[in-house]
Amino acid sequence: MASQVVKKDILHLYRRLLRACETFPSKNRGKIYQSIREDFRENVDLDPDSPEGKKQIHIAYKGLSQLHQFDARSNPNFAVNLEQNPFPKPDGYVDRRTESAERMLERNQDK
């Protein structure tokens, strides 16, 4: 009975992956879709309780979460704002490139 439940869950995972792939915004969507189908066909006889089976299931769930990152249903307020600096430098931060660029600008202004 337990193996029936696990196989049913894996089949549900397979369907969810294929559905998520259908809305994935990529020109490689067809290749990703085919890759999912091939991976599941290759591992159809794999025991879900074995270490390799658990690893493959973990990889599938990770892939599903990556596909859902681009799904409008999972995050309807998704937006990209390029005006903000995602990696701001702390106050007083100076590196060699900044210093050399500032020196070059000062020399050009003096001329």
Side-chain angles (χ1 to χ4, degrees):
M1 182 71 177
S3 66
Q4 287 289 352
V5 173
V6 171
K7 288 189 183 230
K8 188 175 178 181
D9 292 338
I10 292 173
L11 183 60
H12 183 66
L13 172 63
Y14 173 68
R15 289 181 185 140
R16 288 173 57 197
L17 277 163
L18 292 178
R19 278 192 214 114
C21 186
E22 289 174 356
T23 60
F24 185 68
S26 173
K27 64 181 181 179
N28 296 325
R29 183 183 318 139
K31 291 178 185 176
I32 296 169
Y33 191 90
Q34 190 63 30
S35 175
I36 292 169
R37 293 182 70 192
E38 288 173 3
D39 286 345
F40 269 84
R41 284 183 181 149
E42 288 174 8
N43 296 310
V44 71
D45 295 325
L46 197 60
D47 180 21
D49 295 326
S50 71
E52 182 63 26
K54 289 179 181 180
K55 178 182 172 188
Q56 291 298 327
I57 292 171
H58 175 74
I59 290 170
Y61 274 111
K62 186 175 180 180
L64 181 62
S65 70
Q66 290 173 346
L67 287 170
H68 278 307
Q69 288 177 358
F70 297 95
D71 190 1
R73 292 173 293 170
S74 66
N75 189 359
N77 298 323
F78 180 78
V80 176
N81 187 351
L82 299 177
E83 297 299 319
Q84 296 176 348
N85 184 358
F87 303 109
K89 295 192 171 42
D91 292 335
Y93 176 81
V94 180
D95 64 352
R96 288 184 291 202
R97 289 187 299 176
T98 305
E99 286 178 345
S100 65
E102 287 177 359
R103 282 194 303 264
M104 188 181 347
L105 289 173
E106 286 175 7
R107 279 188 239 139
N108 287 340
Q109 288 177 354
D110 293 339
K111 289 182 181 181

mmCIF file of all heavy atoms in Angstrom, residues 64-101:
data_model
loop_
_atom_site.group_PDB
_atom_site.id
_atom_site.type_symbol
_atom_site.label_atom_id
_atom_site.label_comp_id
_atom_site.label_asym_id
_atom_site.label_seq_id
_atom_site.Cartn_x
_atom_site.Cartn_y
_atom_site.Cartn_z
ATOM 1 N N LEU A 64 11.085 21.607 -10.033
ATOM 2 C CA LEU A 64 9.735 22.150 -9.983
ATOM 3 C C LEU A 64 9.728 23.532 -9.336
ATOM 4 O O LEU A 64 9.080 24.456 -9.828
ATOM 5 C CB LEU A 64 8.802 21.203 -9.227
ATOM 6 C CG LEU A 64 7.345 21.627 -9.122
ATOM 7 C CD1 LEU A 64 6.711 21.722 -10.510
ATOM 8 C CD2 LEU A 64 6.579 20.655 -8.250
ATOM 9 N N SER A 65 10.472 23.680 -8.266
ATOM 10 C CA SER A 65 10.516 24.994 -7.610
ATOM 11 C C SER A 65 11.170 26.028 -8.522
ATOM 12 O O SER A 65 10.757 27.189 -8.548
ATOM 13 C CB SER A 65 11.240 24.913 -6.270
ATOM 14 O OG SER A 65 12.614 24.693 -6.446
ATOM 15 N N GLN A 66 12.162 25.616 -9.308
ATOM 16 C CA GLN A 66 12.795 26.543 -10.242
ATOM 17 C C GLN A 66 11.835 26.937 -11.361
ATOM 18 O O GLN A 66 11.803 28.098 -11.786
ATOM 19 C CB GLN A 66 14.066 25.926 -10.817
ATOM 20 C CG GLN A 66 15.172 25.806 -9.806
ATOM 21 C CD GLN A 66 16.368 25.042 -10.334
ATOM 22 O OE1 GLN A 66 16.301 24.377 -11.357
ATOM 23 N NE2 GLN A 66 17.477 25.131 -9.613
ATOM 24 N N LEU A 67 11.037 26.003 -11.839
ATOM 25 C CA LEU A 67 10.055 26.325 -12.871
ATOM 26 C C LEU A 67 8.978 27.253 -12.322
ATOM 27 O O LEU A 67 8.512 28.160 -13.020
ATOM 28 C CB LEU A 67 9.414 25.047 -13.426
ATOM 29 C CG LEU A 67 10.297 24.192 -14.323
ATOM 30 C CD1 LEU A 67 9.632 22.854 -14.595
ATOM 31 C CD2 LEU A 67 10.595 24.903 -15.624
ATOM 32 N N HIS A 68 8.592 27.054 -11.070
ATOM 33 C CA HIS A 68 7.544 27.888 -10.463
ATOM 34 C C HIS A 68 8.018 29.312 -10.193
ATOM 35 O O HIS A 68 7.189 30.206 -10.004
ATOM 36 C CB HIS A 68 7.029 27.271 -9.173
ATOM 37 C CG HIS A 68 6.010 26.201 -9.388
ATOM 38 N ND1 HIS A 68 4.882 26.388 -10.152
ATOM 39 C CD2 HIS A 68 5.958 24.917 -8.955
ATOM 40 C CE1 HIS A 68 4.177 25.273 -10.166
ATOM 41 N NE2 HIS A 68 4.813 24.369 -9.457
ATOM 42 N N GLN A 69 9.294 29.552 -10.185
ATOM 43 C CA GLN A 69 9.783 30.911 -9.975
ATOM 44 C C GLN A 69 9.331 31.839 -11.099
ATOM 45 O O GLN A 69 9.219 33.039 -10.909
ATOM 46 C CB GLN A 69 11.308 30.931 -9.887
ATOM 47 C CG GLN A 69 11.841 30.339 -8.615
ATOM 48 C CD GLN A 69 13.355 30.310 -8.598
ATOM 49 O OE1 GLN A 69 14.008 30.707 -9.563
ATOM 50 N NE2 GLN A 69 13.922 29.851 -7.505
ATOM 51 N N PHE A 70 9.064 31.276 -12.262
ATOM 52 C CA PHE A 70 8.667 32.070 -13.419
ATOM 53 C C PHE A 70 7.180 31.948 -13.716
ATOM 54 O O PHE A 70 6.710 32.415 -14.739
ATOM 55 C CB PHE A 70 9.466 31.641 -14.651
ATOM 56 C CG PHE A 70 10.925 31.880 -14.493
ATOM 57 C CD1 PHE A 70 11.768 30.875 -14.063
ATOM 58 C CD2 PHE A 70 11.455 33.132 -14.748
ATOM 59 C CE1 PHE A 70 13.122 31.103 -13.915
ATOM 60 C CE2 PHE A 70 12.798 33.372 -14.601
ATOM 61 C CZ PHE A 70 13.628 32.354 -14.179
ATOM 62 N N ASP A 71 6.451 31.329 -12.819
ATOM 63 C CA ASP A 71 5.028 31.115 -13.005
ATOM 64 C C ASP A 71 4.250 32.292 -12.427
ATOM 65 O O ASP A 71 4.407 32.638 -11.256
ATOM 66 C CB ASP A 71 4.609 29.821 -12.312
ATOM 67 C CG ASP A 71 3.208 29.405 -12.660
ATOM 68 O OD1 ASP A 71 2.551 30.106 -13.449
ATOM 69 O OD2 ASP A 71 2.769 28.369 -12.137
ATOM 70 N N ALA A 72 3.424 32.921 -13.218
ATOM 71 C CA ALA A 72 2.679 34.097 -12.766
ATOM 72 C C ALA A 72 1.674 33.749 -11.673
ATOM 73 O O ALA A 72 1.333 34.583 -10.850
ATOM 74 C CB ALA A 72 1.946 34.733 -13.946
ATOM 75 N N ARG A 73 1.219 32.494 -11.635
ATOM 76 C CA ARG A 73 0.253 32.111 -10.605
ATOM 77 C C ARG A 73 0.887 32.044 -9.231
ATOM 78 O O ARG A 73 0.244 32.300 -8.231
ATOM 79 C CB ARG A 73 -0.366 30.758 -10.941
ATOM 80 C CG ARG A 73 -1.252 30.799 -12.153
ATOM 81 C CD ARG A 73 -1.692 29.424 -12.522
ATOM 82 N NE ARG A 73 -0.506 28.688 -12.980
ATOM 83 C CZ ARG A 73 -0.481 27.401 -13.214
ATOM 84 N NH1 ARG A 73 -1.540 26.683 -13.024
ATOM 85 N NH2 ARG A 73 0.608 26.814 -13.639
ATOM 86 N N SER A 74 2.170 31.702 -9.162
ATOM 87 C CA SER A 74 2.820 31.585 -7.860
ATOM 88 C C SER A 74 3.217 32.942 -7.297
ATOM 89 O O SER A 74 3.346 33.110 -6.102
ATOM 90 C CB SER A 74 4.040 30.667 -7.945
ATOM 91 O OG SER A 74 5.017 31.265 -8.764
ATOM 92 N N ASN A 75 3.440 33.932 -8.163
ATOM 93 C CA ASN A 75 3.822 35.257 -7.699
ATOM 94 C C ASN A 75 3.234 36.302 -8.643
ATOM 95 O O ASN A 75 3.907 36.767 -9.556
ATOM 96 C CB ASN A 75 5.347 35.381 -7.631
ATOM 97 C CG ASN A 75 5.786 36.643 -6.946
ATOM 98 O OD1 ASN A 75 4.971 37.450 -6.521
ATOM 99 N ND2 ASN A 75 7.081 36.838 -6.857
ATOM 100 N N PRO A 76 1.976 36.708 -8.402
ATOM 101 C CA PRO A 76 1.345 37.641 -9.328
ATOM 102 C C PRO A 76 1.938 39.043 -9.284
ATOM 103 O O PRO A 76 1.732 39.824 -10.194
ATOM 104 C CB PRO A 76 -0.115 37.661 -8.869
ATOM 105 C CG PRO A 76 -0.071 37.237 -7.456
ATOM 106 C CD PRO A 76 1.096 36.304 -7.339
ATOM 107 N N ASN A 77 2.692 39.383 -8.257
ATOM 108 C CA ASN A 77 3.280 40.713 -8.129
ATOM 109 C C ASN A 77 4.739 40.739 -8.565
ATOM 110 O O ASN A 77 5.488 41.617 -8.163
ATOM 111 C CB ASN A 77 3.167 41.205 -6.683
ATOM 112 C CG ASN A 77 1.728 41.340 -6.254
ATOM 113 O OD1 ASN A 77 0.883 41.730 -7.045
ATOM 114 N ND2 ASN A 77 1.444 40.983 -5.029
ATOM 115 N N PHE A 78 5.132 39.799 -9.379
ATOM 116 C CA PHE A 78 6.512 39.710 -9.827
ATOM 117 C C PHE A 78 6.848 40.918 -10.690
ATOM 118 O O PHE A 78 6.122 41.277 -11.612
ATOM 119 C CB PHE A 78 6.722 38.424 -10.626
ATOM 120 C CG PHE A 78 8.115 38.251 -11.140
ATOM 121 C CD1 PHE A 78 9.114 37.828 -10.307
ATOM 122 C CD2 PHE A 78 8.424 38.534 -12.459
ATOM 123 C CE1 PHE A 78 10.402 37.664 -10.772
ATOM 124 C CE2 PHE A 78 9.711 38.373 -12.935
ATOM 125 C CZ PHE A 78 10.697 37.939 -12.089
ATOM 126 N N ALA A 79 7.941 41.577 -10.350
ATOM 127 C CA ALA A 79 8.374 42.739 -11.127
ATOM 128 C C ALA A 79 9.892 42.841 -11.060
ATOM 129 O O ALA A 79 10.515 42.387 -10.108
ATOM 130 C CB ALA A 79 7.751 44.011 -10.567
ATOM 131 N N VAL A 80 10.457 43.424 -12.083
ATOM 132 C CA VAL A 80 11.888 43.666 -12.123
ATOM 133 C C VAL A 80 12.098 45.163 -12.165
ATOM 134 O O VAL A 80 11.550 45.847 -13.020
ATOM 135 C CB VAL A 80 12.531 43.000 -13.364
ATOM 136 C CG1 VAL A 80 14.000 43.338 -13.444
ATOM 137 C CG2 VAL A 80 12.315 41.510 -13.327
ATOM 138 N N ASN A 81 12.893 45.675 -11.248
ATOM 139 C CA ASN A 81 13.179 47.100 -11.199
ATOM 140 C C ASN A 81 14.679 47.279 -11.359
ATOM 141 O O ASN A 81 15.457 46.929 -10.476
ATOM 142 C CB ASN A 81 12.710 47.690 -9.871
ATOM 143 C CG ASN A 81 12.829 49.192 -9.850
ATOM 144 O OD1 ASN A 81 13.409 49.792 -10.752
ATOM 145 N ND2 ASN A 81 12.270 49.809 -8.832
ATOM 146 N N LEU A 82 15.086 47.804 -12.493
ATOM 147 C CA LEU A 82 16.504 47.936 -12.780
ATOM 148 C C LEU A 82 17.098 49.216 -12.218
ATOM 149 O O LEU A 82 18.295 49.433 -12.320
ATOM 150 C CB LEU A 82 16.732 47.881 -14.289
ATOM 151 C CG LEU A 82 16.300 46.582 -14.955
ATOM 152 C CD1 LEU A 82 16.503 46.666 -16.457
ATOM 153 C CD2 LEU A 82 17.062 45.404 -14.388
ATOM 154 N N GLU A 83 16.294 50.067 -11.629
ATOM 155 C CA GLU A 83 16.795 51.324 -11.085
ATOM 156 C C GLU A 83 17.487 51.133 -9.736
ATOM 157 O O GLU A 83 18.277 51.941 -9.319
ATOM 158 C CB GLU A 83 15.647 52.329 -10.935
ATOM 159 C CG GLU A 83 15.014 52.711 -12.256
ATOM 160 C CD GLU A 83 15.993 53.375 -13.206
ATOM 161 O OE1 GLU A 83 16.807 54.199 -12.767
ATOM 162 O OE2 GLU A 83 15.948 53.059 -14.406
ATOM 163 N N GLN A 84 17.164 50.072 -9.034
ATOM 164 C CA GLN A 84 17.763 49.840 -7.728
ATOM 165 C C GLN A 84 19.053 49.044 -7.881
ATOM 166 O O GLN A 84 19.155 48.170 -8.725
ATOM 167 C CB GLN A 84 16.812 49.070 -6.825
ATOM 168 C CG GLN A 84 15.552 49.831 -6.520
ATOM 169 C CD GLN A 84 14.596 48.986 -5.694
ATOM 170 O OE1 GLN A 84 14.785 47.795 -5.558
ATOM 171 N NE2 GLN A 84 13.570 49.614 -5.165
ATOM 172 N N ASN A 85 20.009 49.340 -7.045
ATOM 173 C CA ASN A 85 21.267 48.607 -7.040
ATOM 174 C C ASN A 85 21.106 47.399 -6.111
ATOM 175 O O ASN A 85 20.945 47.569 -4.913
ATOM 176 C CB ASN A 85 22.404 49.503 -6.551
ATOM 177 C CG ASN A 85 23.745 48.821 -6.622
ATOM 178 O OD1 ASN A 85 23.849 47.661 -6.994
ATOM 179 N ND2 ASN A 85 24.780 49.548 -6.246
ATOM 180 N N PRO A 86 21.172 46.182 -6.640
ATOM 181 C CA PRO A 86 20.970 45.016 -5.781
ATOM 182 C C PRO A 86 22.141 44.757 -4.830
ATOM 183 O O PRO A 86 21.984 44.073 -3.838
ATOM 184 C CB PRO A 86 20.815 43.871 -6.777
ATOM 185 C CG PRO A 86 21.525 44.347 -7.994
ATOM 186 C CD PRO A 86 21.385 45.833 -8.023
ATOM 187 N N PHE A 87 23.302 45.299 -5.126
ATOM 188 C CA PHE A 87 24.477 45.111 -4.280
ATOM 189 C C PHE A 87 25.082 46.460 -3.916
ATOM 190 O O PHE A 87 26.150 46.822 -4.406
ATOM 191 C CB PHE A 87 25.529 44.252 -4.999
ATOM 192 C CG PHE A 87 25.008 42.913 -5.423
ATOM 193 C CD1 PHE A 87 24.783 42.633 -6.756
ATOM 194 C CD2 PHE A 87 24.730 41.947 -4.484
ATOM 195 C CE1 PHE A 87 24.297 41.407 -7.148
ATOM 196 C CE2 PHE A 87 24.249 40.712 -4.864
ATOM 197 C CZ PHE A 87 24.030 40.439 -6.197
ATOM 198 N N PRO A 88 24.412 47.226 -3.070
ATOM 199 C CA PRO A 88 24.959 48.545 -2.737
ATOM 200 C C PRO A 88 26.244 48.422 -1.930
ATOM 201 O O PRO A 88 26.413 47.520 -1.126
ATOM 202 C CB PRO A 88 23.850 49.189 -1.908
ATOM 203 C CG PRO A 88 23.092 48.041 -1.345
ATOM 204 C CD PRO A 88 23.196 46.927 -2.353
ATOM 205 N N LYS A 89 27.151 49.339 -2.188
ATOM 206 C CA LYS A 89 28.417 49.354 -1.456
ATOM 207 C C LYS A 89 28.226 50.166 -0.174
ATOM 208 O O LYS A 89 27.496 51.149 -0.152
ATOM 209 C CB LYS A 89 29.508 49.967 -2.316
ATOM 210 C CG LYS A 89 29.797 49.110 -3.545
ATOM 211 C CD LYS A 89 31.038 49.548 -4.227
ATOM 212 C CE LYS A 89 31.508 48.648 -5.311
ATOM 213 N NZ LYS A 89 30.613 48.085 -6.220
ATOM 214 N N PRO A 90 28.872 49.771 0.919
ATOM 215 C CA PRO A 90 28.731 50.513 2.171
ATOM 216 C C PRO A 90 29.351 51.900 2.058
ATOM 217 O O PRO A 90 30.206 52.162 1.210
ATOM 218 C CB PRO A 90 29.482 49.656 3.191
ATOM 219 C CG PRO A 90 30.316 48.726 2.409
ATOM 220 C CD PRO A 90 29.717 48.606 1.047
ATOM 221 N N ASP A 91 28.915 52.804 2.929
ATOM 222 C CA ASP A 91 29.457 54.158 2.934
ATOM 223 C C ASP A 91 30.959 54.111 3.186
ATOM 224 O O ASP A 91 31.442 53.360 4.023
ATOM 225 C CB ASP A 91 28.784 54.996 4.027
ATOM 226 C CG ASP A 91 27.319 55.247 3.717
ATOM 227 O OD1 ASP A 91 26.962 55.201 2.523
ATOM 228 O OD2 ASP A 91 26.544 55.482 4.656
ATOM 229 N N GLY A 92 31.694 54.925 2.459
ATOM 230 C CA GLY A 92 33.141 54.982 2.630
ATOM 231 C C GLY A 92 33.889 53.865 1.927
ATOM 232 O O GLY A 92 35.099 53.720 2.088
ATOM 233 N N TYR A 93 33.212 53.052 1.125
ATOM 234 C CA TYR A 93 33.864 51.951 0.429
ATOM 235 C C TYR A 93 34.644 52.499 -0.761
ATOM 236 O O TYR A 93 34.121 53.255 -1.566
ATOM 237 C CB TYR A 93 32.836 50.942 -0.066
ATOM 238 C CG TYR A 93 33.439 49.812 -0.873
ATOM 239 C CD1 TYR A 93 34.036 48.735 -0.253
ATOM 240 C CD2 TYR A 93 33.424 49.843 -2.268
ATOM 241 C CE1 TYR A 93 34.586 47.710 -0.981
ATOM 242 C CE2 TYR A 93 33.973 48.818 -3.007
ATOM 243 C CZ TYR A 93 34.549 47.753 -2.349
ATOM 244 O OH TYR A 93 35.099 46.739 -3.084
ATOM 245 N N VAL A 94 35.911 52.137 -0.851
ATOM 246 C CA VAL A 94 36.755 52.563 -1.962
ATOM 247 C C VAL A 94 37.573 51.358 -2.401
ATOM 248 O O VAL A 94 38.174 50.668 -1.581
ATOM 249 C CB VAL A 94 37.702 53.713 -1.542
ATOM 250 C CG1 VAL A 94 38.573 54.137 -2.703
ATOM 251 C CG2 VAL A 94 36.909 54.886 -1.010
ATOM 252 N N ASP A 95 37.582 51.119 -3.684
ATOM 253 C CA ASP A 95 38.455 50.058 -4.197
ATOM 254 C C ASP A 95 39.462 50.673 -5.166
ATOM 255 O O ASP A 95 39.389 51.850 -5.513
ATOM 256 C CB ASP A 95 37.645 48.940 -4.858
ATOM 257 C CG ASP A 95 36.889 49.386 -6.101
ATOM 258 O OD1 ASP A 95 36.869 50.590 -6.367
ATOM 259 O OD2 ASP A 95 36.339 48.522 -6.798
ATOM 260 N N ARG A 96 40.407 49.869 -5.608
ATOM 261 C CA ARG A 96 41.481 50.383 -6.461
ATOM 262 C C ARG A 96 40.975 50.916 -7.789
ATOM 263 O O ARG A 96 41.437 51.926 -8.288
ATOM 264 C CB ARG A 96 42.529 49.296 -6.700
ATOM 265 C CG ARG A 96 43.360 49.006 -5.466
ATOM 266 C CD ARG A 96 44.418 48.017 -5.798
ATOM 267 N NE ARG A 96 43.744 46.733 -6.060
ATOM 268 C CZ ARG A 96 44.312 45.563 -5.973
ATOM 269 N NH1 ARG A 96 45.574 45.465 -5.678
ATOM 270 N NH2 ARG A 96 43.635 44.458 -6.201
ATOM 271 N N ARG A 97 39.999 50.254 -8.363
ATOM 272 C CA ARG A 97 39.481 50.721 -9.654
ATOM 273 C C ARG A 97 38.820 52.084 -9.509
ATOM 274 O O ARG A 97 38.982 52.952 -10.363
ATOM 275 C CB ARG A 97 38.491 49.713 -10.224
ATOM 276 C CG ARG A 97 39.171 48.437 -10.694
ATOM 277 C CD ARG A 97 38.209 47.546 -11.393
ATOM 278 N NE ARG A 97 37.152 47.179 -10.451
ATOM 279 C CZ ARG A 97 36.093 46.460 -10.754
ATOM 280 N NH1 ARG A 97 35.923 46.041 -11.965
ATOM 281 N NH2 ARG A 97 35.182 46.162 -9.851
ATOM 282 N N THR A 98 38.078 52.268 -8.438
ATOM 283 C CA THR A 98 37.420 53.554 -8.217
ATOM 284 C C THR A 98 38.454 54.650 -8.006
ATOM 285 O O THR A 98 38.335 55.753 -8.563
ATOM 286 C CB THR A 98 36.476 53.472 -7.003
ATOM 287 O OG1 THR A 98 35.558 52.398 -7.203
ATOM 288 C CG2 THR A 98 35.704 54.757 -6.808
ATOM 289 N N GLU A 99 39.468 54.353 -7.214
ATOM 290 C CA GLU A 99 40.518 55.346 -6.959
ATOM 291 C C GLU A 99 41.240 55.727 -8.245
ATOM 292 O O GLU A 99 41.461 56.914 -8.516
ATOM 293 C CB GLU A 99 41.529 54.809 -5.942
ATOM 294 C CG GLU A 99 41.019 54.771 -4.533
ATOM 295 C CD GLU A 99 42.045 54.180 -3.578
ATOM 296 O OE1 GLU A 99 43.034 53.550 -4.042
ATOM 297 O OE2 GLU A 99 41.859 54.341 -2.369
ATOM 298 N N SER A 100 41.614 54.740 -9.047
ATOM 299 C CA SER A 100 42.340 55.042 -10.284
ATOM 300 C C SER A 100 41.457 55.806 -11.267
ATOM 301 O O SER A 100 41.925 56.711 -11.959
ATOM 302 C CB SER A 100 42.886 53.772 -10.921
ATOM 303 O OG SER A 100 41.837 52.929 -11.333
ATOM 304 N N ALA A 101 40.179 55.485 -11.322
ATOM 305 C CA ALA A 101 39.272 56.211 -12.212
ATOM 306 C C ALA A 101 39.116 57.654 -11.754
ATOM 307 O O ALA A 101 39.102 58.575 -12.577
ATOM 308 C CB ALA A 101 37.912 55.518 -12.261
#
